[in-house]
PDB file of all heavy atoms in Angstrom:
ATOM      1  N   LYS A1056      74.333 101.942  97.329  1.00 81.00           N
ATOM      2  CA  LYS A1056      74.267 100.496  97.242  1.00 81.00           C
ATOM      3  C   LYS A1056      74.660  99.845  98.587  1.00 81.00           C
ATOM      4  O   LYS A1056      74.100  98.808  98.984  1.00 81.00           O
ATOM      5  CB  LYS A1056      75.185  99.990  96.132  1.00 81.00           C
ATOM      6  CG  LYS A1056      74.666 100.315  94.744  1.00 81.00           C
ATOM      7  CD  LYS A1056      75.536  99.721  93.667  1.00 81.00           C
ATOM      8  CE  LYS A1056      74.960  99.997  92.283  1.00 81.00           C
ATOM      9  NZ  LYS A1056      75.816  99.462  91.169  1.00 81.00           N
ATOM     10  N   GLY A1057      75.602 100.474  99.287  1.00 76.00           N
ATOM     11  CA  GLY A1057      76.004  99.962 100.581  1.00 76.00           C
ATOM     12  C   GLY A1057      74.867 100.055 101.615  1.00 76.00           C
ATOM     13  O   GLY A1057      74.597  99.112 102.351  1.00 76.00           O
ATOM     14  N   VAL A1058      74.214 101.228 101.619  1.00 79.00           N
ATOM     15  CA  VAL A1058      73.068 101.401 102.525  1.00 79.00           C
ATOM     16  C   VAL A1058      71.959 100.437 102.155  1.00 79.00           C
ATOM     17  O   VAL A1058      71.300  99.824 103.028  1.00 79.00           O
ATOM     18  CB  VAL A1058      72.572 102.862 102.465  1.00 79.00           C
ATOM     19  CG1 VAL A1058      71.260 102.995 103.227  1.00 79.00           C
ATOM     20  CG2 VAL A1058      73.598 103.814 103.039  1.00 79.00           C
ATOM     21  N   GLN A1059      71.729 100.270 100.842  1.00 84.00           N
ATOM     22  CA  GLN A1059      70.661  99.362 100.390  1.00 84.00           C
ATOM     23  C   GLN A1059      70.947  97.902 100.820  1.00 84.00           C
ATOM     24  O   GLN A1059      70.045  97.214 101.319  1.00 84.00           O
ATOM     25  CB  GLN A1059      70.544  99.445  98.869  1.00 84.00           C
ATOM     26  CG  GLN A1059      69.423  98.605  98.279  1.00 84.00           C
ATOM     27  CD  GLN A1059      69.369  98.698  96.756  1.00 84.00           C
ATOM     28  OE1 GLN A1059      70.215  99.352  96.149  1.00 84.00           O
ATOM     29  NE2 GLN A1059      68.385  98.065  96.161  1.00 84.00           N
ATOM     30  N   SER A1060      72.192  97.459 100.635  1.00 82.00           N
ATOM     31  CA  SER A1060      72.557  96.099 101.041  1.00 82.00           C
ATOM     32  C   SER A1060      72.432  95.928 102.564  1.00 82.00           C
ATOM     33  O   SER A1060      71.997  94.870 103.032  1.00 82.00           O
ATOM     34  CB  SER A1060      73.959  95.769 100.589  1.00 82.00           C
ATOM     35  OG  SER A1060      74.895  96.618 101.188  1.00 82.00           O
ATOM     36  N   THR A1061      72.780  96.982 103.323  1.00 79.00           N
ATOM     37  CA  THR A1061      72.659  96.903 104.790  1.00 79.00           C
ATOM     38  C   THR A1061      71.206  96.770 105.208  1.00 79.00           C
ATOM     39  O   THR A1061      70.860  95.957 106.081  1.00 79.00           O
ATOM     40  CB  THR A1061      73.291  98.161 105.429  1.00 79.00           C
ATOM     41  OG1 THR A1061      74.648  98.297 105.011  1.00 79.00           O
ATOM     42  CG2 THR A1061      73.244  98.062 106.958  1.00 79.00           C
ATOM     43  N   LEU A1062      70.334  97.563 104.590  1.00 84.00           N
ATOM     44  CA  LEU A1062      68.907  97.499 104.908  1.00 84.00           C
ATOM     45  C   LEU A1062      68.295  96.155 104.545  1.00 84.00           C
ATOM     46  O   LEU A1062      67.496  95.608 105.308  1.00 84.00           O
ATOM     47  CB  LEU A1062      68.156  98.636 104.208  1.00 84.00           C
ATOM     48  CG  LEU A1062      68.490 100.070 104.645  1.00 84.00           C
ATOM     49  CD1 LEU A1062      67.770 101.101 103.787  1.00 84.00           C
ATOM     50  CD2 LEU A1062      68.098 100.253 106.120  1.00 84.00           C
ATOM     51  N   ILE A1063      68.652  95.613 103.368  1.00 86.00           N
ATOM     52  CA  ILE A1063      68.100  94.334 102.937  1.00 86.00           C
ATOM     53  C   ILE A1063      68.564  93.233 103.900  1.00 86.00           C
ATOM     54  O   ILE A1063      67.767  92.395 104.345  1.00 86.00           O
ATOM     55  CB  ILE A1063      68.544  94.044 101.503  1.00 86.00           C
ATOM     56  CG1 ILE A1063      67.844  94.999 100.527  1.00 86.00           C
ATOM     57  CG2 ILE A1063      68.181  92.589 101.126  1.00 86.00           C
ATOM     58  CD1 ILE A1063      68.329  94.871  99.080  1.00 86.00           C
ATOM     59  N   ALA A1064      69.872  93.211 104.202  1.00 81.00           N
ATOM     60  CA  ALA A1064      70.415  92.215 105.128  1.00 81.00           C
ATOM     61  C   ALA A1064      69.745  92.311 106.491  1.00 81.00           C
ATOM     62  O   ALA A1064      69.352  91.316 107.115  1.00 81.00           O
ATOM     63  CB  ALA A1064      71.900  92.364 105.255  1.00 81.00           C
ATOM     64  N   GLY A1065      69.574  93.582 106.981  1.00 80.00           N
ATOM     65  CA  GLY A1065      68.961  93.793 108.267  1.00 80.00           C
ATOM     66  C   GLY A1065      67.501  93.332 108.281  1.00 80.00           C
ATOM     67  O   GLY A1065      67.048  92.711 109.244  1.00 80.00           O
ATOM     68  N   ALA A1066      66.769  93.635 107.221  1.00 86.00           N
ATOM     69  CA  ALA A1066      65.347  93.235 107.139  1.00 86.00           C
ATOM     70  C   ALA A1066      65.193  91.736 107.160  1.00 86.00           C
ATOM     71  O   ALA A1066      64.301  91.190 107.833  1.00 86.00           O
ATOM     72  CB  ALA A1066      64.717  93.853 105.894  1.00 86.00           C
ATOM     73  N   ILE A1067      66.057  91.033 106.414  1.00 87.00           N
ATOM     74  CA  ILE A1067      65.985  89.577 106.359  1.00 87.00           C
ATOM     75  C   ILE A1067      66.234  88.957 107.745  1.00 87.00           C
ATOM     76  O   ILE A1067      65.523  88.071 108.216  1.00 87.00           O
ATOM     77  CB  ILE A1067      66.994  89.016 105.329  1.00 87.00           C
ATOM     78  CG1 ILE A1067      66.558  89.408 103.918  1.00 87.00           C
ATOM     79  CG2 ILE A1067      67.068  87.497 105.420  1.00 87.00           C
ATOM     80  CD1 ILE A1067      67.582  89.060 102.846  1.00 87.00           C
ATOM     81  N   VAL A1068      67.250  89.488 108.422  1.00 83.00           N
ATOM     82  CA  VAL A1068      67.598  88.975 109.759  1.00 83.00           C
ATOM     83  C   VAL A1068      66.462  89.287 110.750  1.00 83.00           C
ATOM     84  O   VAL A1068      66.082  88.420 111.547  1.00 83.00           O
ATOM     85  CB  VAL A1068      68.926  89.599 110.260  1.00 83.00           C
ATOM     86  CG1 VAL A1068      69.149  89.231 111.719  1.00 83.00           C
ATOM     87  CG2 VAL A1068      70.078  89.121 109.405  1.00 83.00           C
ATOM     88  N   VAL A1069      65.898  90.491 110.673  1.00 85.00           N
ATOM     89  CA  VAL A1069      64.800  90.851 111.604  1.00 85.00           C
ATOM     90  C   VAL A1069      63.607  89.951 111.420  1.00 85.00           C
ATOM     91  O   VAL A1069      63.040  89.436 112.387  1.00 85.00           O
ATOM     92  CB  VAL A1069      64.429  92.343 111.351  1.00 85.00           C
ATOM     93  CG1 VAL A1069      63.090  92.667 112.029  1.00 85.00           C
ATOM     94  CG2 VAL A1069      65.500  93.263 111.885  1.00 85.00           C
ATOM     95  N   VAL A1070      63.208  89.731 110.162  1.00 88.00           N
ATOM     96  CA  VAL A1070      62.046  88.899 109.889  1.00 88.00           C
ATOM     97  C   VAL A1070      62.296  87.454 110.353  1.00 88.00           C
ATOM     98  O   VAL A1070      61.437  86.830 110.996  1.00 88.00           O
ATOM     99  CB  VAL A1070      61.705  88.908 108.379  1.00 88.00           C
ATOM    100  CG1 VAL A1070      60.621  87.887 108.048  1.00 88.00           C
ATOM    101  CG2 VAL A1070      61.248  90.310 107.974  1.00 88.00           C
ATOM    102  N   PHE A1071      63.477  86.931 110.053  1.00 86.00           N
ATOM    103  CA  PHE A1071      63.787  85.537 110.435  1.00 86.00           C
ATOM    104  C   PHE A1071      63.722  85.391 111.959  1.00 86.00           C
ATOM    105  O   PHE A1071      63.140  84.407 112.469  1.00 86.00           O
ATOM    106  CB  PHE A1071      65.185  85.142 109.947  1.00 86.00           C
ATOM    107  CG  PHE A1071      65.642  83.846 110.467  1.00 86.00           C
ATOM    108  CD1 PHE A1071      65.184  82.643 109.904  1.00 86.00           C
ATOM    109  CD2 PHE A1071      66.528  83.779 111.556  1.00 86.00           C
ATOM    110  CE1 PHE A1071      65.620  81.419 110.422  1.00 86.00           C
ATOM    111  CE2 PHE A1071      66.942  82.559 112.041  1.00 86.00           C
ATOM    112  CZ  PHE A1071      66.489  81.379 111.492  1.00 86.00           C
ATOM    113  N   MET A1072      64.308  86.335 112.682  1.00 84.00           N
ATOM    114  CA  MET A1072      64.352  86.214 114.152  1.00 84.00           C
ATOM    115  C   MET A1072      62.942  86.261 114.758  1.00 84.00           C
ATOM    116  O   MET A1072      62.637  85.545 115.714  1.00 84.00           O
ATOM    117  CB  MET A1072      65.238  87.308 114.754  1.00 84.00           C
ATOM    118  CG  MET A1072      66.708  87.150 114.436  1.00 84.00           C
ATOM    119  SD  MET A1072      67.414  85.589 115.017  1.00 84.00           S
ATOM    120  CE  MET A1072      67.385  85.877 116.787  1.00 84.00           C
ATOM    121  N   ASP A1084      66.316  91.472 117.847  1.00 85.00           N
ATOM    122  CA  ASP A1084      66.341  92.519 116.814  1.00 85.00           C
ATOM    123  C   ASP A1084      66.663  93.866 117.441  1.00 85.00           C
ATOM    124  O   ASP A1084      67.359  94.709 116.805  1.00 85.00           O
ATOM    125  CB  ASP A1084      65.002  92.577 116.077  1.00 85.00           C
ATOM    126  CG  ASP A1084      64.752  91.349 115.203  1.00 85.00           C
ATOM    127  OD1 ASP A1084      65.768  90.688 114.845  1.00 85.00           O
ATOM    128  OD2 ASP A1084      63.593  91.046 114.911  1.00 85.00           O
ATOM    129  N   LEU A1087      70.221  94.044 117.702  1.00 85.00           N
ATOM    130  CA  LEU A1087      70.813  94.310 116.391  1.00 85.00           C
ATOM    131  C   LEU A1087      70.824  95.790 116.087  1.00 85.00           C
ATOM    132  O   LEU A1087      71.858  96.347 115.670  1.00 85.00           O
ATOM    133  CB  LEU A1087      70.026  93.565 115.312  1.00 85.00           C
ATOM    134  CG  LEU A1087      70.383  93.847 113.858  1.00 85.00           C
ATOM    135  CD1 LEU A1087      71.825  93.429 113.601  1.00 85.00           C
ATOM    136  CD2 LEU A1087      69.442  93.116 112.929  1.00 85.00           C
ATOM    137  N   LEU A1091      74.124  98.378 115.716  1.00 85.00           N
ATOM    138  CA  LEU A1091      74.414  99.310 114.616  1.00 85.00           C
ATOM    139  C   LEU A1091      74.616 100.728 115.130  1.00 85.00           C
ATOM    140  O   LEU A1091      75.520 101.432 114.695  1.00 85.00           O
ATOM    141  CB  LEU A1091      73.274  99.296 113.585  1.00 85.00           C
ATOM    142  CG  LEU A1091      73.215  98.047 112.659  1.00 85.00           C
ATOM    143  CD1 LEU A1091      71.966  98.106 111.820  1.00 85.00           C
ATOM    144  CD2 LEU A1091      74.475  97.990 111.800  1.00 85.00           C
ATOM    145  N   ILE A1110      81.768  99.044 104.844  1.00 82.00           N
ATOM    146  CA  ILE A1110      80.330  98.799 104.801  1.00 82.00           C
ATOM    147  C   ILE A1110      80.079  97.289 104.743  1.00 82.00           C
ATOM    148  O   ILE A1110      79.131  96.791 105.371  1.00 82.00           O
ATOM    149  CB  ILE A1110      79.686  99.521 103.584  1.00 82.00           C
ATOM    150  CG1 ILE A1110      79.789 101.021 103.756  1.00 82.00           C
ATOM    151  CG2 ILE A1110      78.247  99.084 103.405  1.00 82.00           C
ATOM    152  CD1 ILE A1110      79.220 101.814 102.589  1.00 82.00           C
ATOM    153  N   ALA A1111      80.924  96.547 104.018  1.00 82.00           N
ATOM    154  CA  ALA A1111      80.786  95.081 104.004  1.00 82.00           C
ATOM    155  C   ALA A1111      80.973  94.506 105.403  1.00 82.00           C
ATOM    156  O   ALA A1111      80.285  93.561 105.793  1.00 82.00           O
ATOM    157  CB  ALA A1111      81.832  94.499 103.041  1.00 82.00           C
ATOM    158  N   GLY A1112      81.882  95.120 106.164  1.00 84.00           N
ATOM    159  CA  GLY A1112      82.093  94.700 107.544  1.00 84.00           C
ATOM    160  C   GLY A1112      80.850  94.945 108.390  1.00 84.00           C
ATOM    161  O   GLY A1112      80.488  94.142 109.265  1.00 84.00           O
ATOM    162  N   ILE A1113      80.168  96.055 108.131  1.00 83.00           N
ATOM    163  CA  ILE A1113      78.928  96.371 108.886  1.00 83.00           C
ATOM    164  C   ILE A1113      77.846  95.338 108.536  1.00 83.00           C
ATOM    165  O   ILE A1113      77.112  94.882 109.408  1.00 83.00           O
ATOM    166  CB  ILE A1113      78.482  97.807 108.549  1.00 83.00           C
ATOM    167  CG1 ILE A1113      79.470  98.817 109.107  1.00 83.00           C
ATOM    168  CG2 ILE A1113      77.071  98.067 109.129  1.00 83.00           C
ATOM    169  CD1 ILE A1113      79.157 100.253 108.748  1.00 83.00           C
ATOM    170  N   VAL A1114      77.747  94.984 107.219  1.00 81.00           N
ATOM    171  CA  VAL A1114      76.746  94.005 106.814  1.00 81.00           C
ATOM    172  C   VAL A1114      77.034  92.682 107.488  1.00 81.00           C
ATOM    173  O   VAL A1114      76.107  91.964 107.967  1.00 81.00           O
ATOM    174  CB  VAL A1114      76.755  93.844 105.274  1.00 81.00           C
ATOM    175  CG1 VAL A1114      75.797  92.730 104.862  1.00 81.00           C
ATOM    176  CG2 VAL A1114      76.345  95.162 104.612  1.00 81.00           C
ATOM    177  N   LEU A1115      78.308  92.298 107.576  1.00 81.00           N
ATOM    178  CA  LEU A1115      78.672  91.055 108.266  1.00 81.00           C
ATOM    179  C   LEU A1115      78.328  91.141 109.730  1.00 81.00           C
ATOM    180  O   LEU A1115      77.880  90.144 110.348  1.00 81.00           O
ATOM    181  CB  LEU A1115      80.169  90.801 108.085  1.00 81.00           C
ATOM    182  CG  LEU A1115      80.723  89.548 108.800  1.00 81.00           C
ATOM    183  CD1 LEU A1115      80.062  88.298 108.259  1.00 81.00           C
ATOM    184  CD2 LEU A1115      82.240  89.477 108.602  1.00 81.00           C
ATOM    185  N   THR A1116      78.505  92.320 110.332  1.00 80.00           N
ATOM    186  CA  THR A1116      78.199  92.510 111.750  1.00 80.00           C
ATOM    187  C   THR A1116      76.721  92.329 112.019  1.00 80.00           C
ATOM    188  O   THR A1116      76.335  91.890 113.119  1.00 80.00           O
ATOM    189  CB  THR A1116      78.662  93.911 112.170  1.00 80.00           C
ATOM    190  OG1 THR A1116      80.057  94.063 111.940  1.00 80.00           O
ATOM    191  CG2 THR A1116      78.414  94.149 113.672  1.00 80.00           C
ATOM    192  N   ILE A1117      75.870  92.625 111.032  1.00 77.00           N
ATOM    193  CA  ILE A1117      74.408  92.450 111.221  1.00 77.00           C
ATOM    194  C   ILE A1117      74.109  90.966 111.491  1.00 77.00           C
ATOM    195  O   ILE A1117      73.351  90.611 112.382  1.00 77.00           O
ATOM    196  CB  ILE A1117      73.667  92.949 109.963  1.00 77.00           C
ATOM    197  CG1 ILE A1117      73.737  94.466 109.899  1.00 77.00           C
ATOM    198  CG2 ILE A1117      72.206  92.494 110.018  1.00 77.00           C
ATOM    199  CD1 ILE A1117      73.105  95.053 108.643  1.00 77.00           C
ATOM    200  N   GLY A1118      74.775  90.103 110.688  1.00 76.00           N
ATOM    201  CA  GLY A1118      74.553  88.666 110.916  1.00 76.00           C
ATOM    202  C   GLY A1118      75.124  88.222 112.255  1.00 76.00           C
ATOM    203  O   GLY A1118      74.497  87.418 112.966  1.00 76.00           O
ATOM    204  N   MET A1119      76.296  88.773 112.605  1.00 76.00           N
ATOM    205  CA  MET A1119      76.933  88.366 113.865  1.00 76.00           C
ATOM    206  C   MET A1119      76.227  88.995 115.069  1.00 76.00           C
ATOM    207  O   MET A1119      76.385  88.561 116.202  1.00 76.00           O
ATOM    208  CB  MET A1119      78.390  88.775 113.863  1.00 76.00           C
ATOM    209  CG  MET A1119      79.205  88.121 112.787  1.00 76.00           C
ATOM    210  SD  MET A1119      80.961  88.539 112.873  1.00 76.00           S
ATOM    211  CE  MET A1119      81.399  87.882 114.490  1.00 76.00           C
ATOM    212  N   GLY A1120      75.422  90.070 114.784  1.00 73.00           N
ATOM    213  CA  GLY A1120      74.743  90.772 115.872  1.00 73.00           C
ATOM    214  C   GLY A1120      73.682  89.940 116.550  1.00 73.00           C
ATOM    215  O   GLY A1120      73.246  90.292 117.647  1.00 73.00           O
ATOM    216  N   VAL A1121      73.204  88.873 115.886  1.00 79.00           N
ATOM    217  CA  VAL A1121      72.168  88.043 116.491  1.00 79.00           C
ATOM    218  C   VAL A1121      72.624  86.617 116.764  1.00 79.00           C
ATOM    219  O   VAL A1121      71.925  85.834 117.381  1.00 79.00           O
ATOM    220  CB  VAL A1121      70.905  87.994 115.589  1.00 79.00           C
ATOM    221  CG1 VAL A1121      70.244  89.366 115.524  1.00 79.00           C
ATOM    222  CG2 VAL A1121      71.245  87.470 114.188  1.00 79.00           C
TER     223      VAL A1121
END
Side-chain angles (χ1 to χ4, degrees):
K1056 288 184 178 179
V1058 172
Q1059 184 180 4
S1060 62
T1061 303
L1062 293 175
I1063 292 173
I1067 293 172
V1068 172
V1069 166
V1070 171
F1071 171 80
M1072 291 301 290
D1084 291 338
L1087 173 62
L1091 285 174
I1110 293 178
I1113 293 176
V1114 175
L1115 178 61
T1116 302
I1117 290 176
M1119 298 184 63
V1121 293

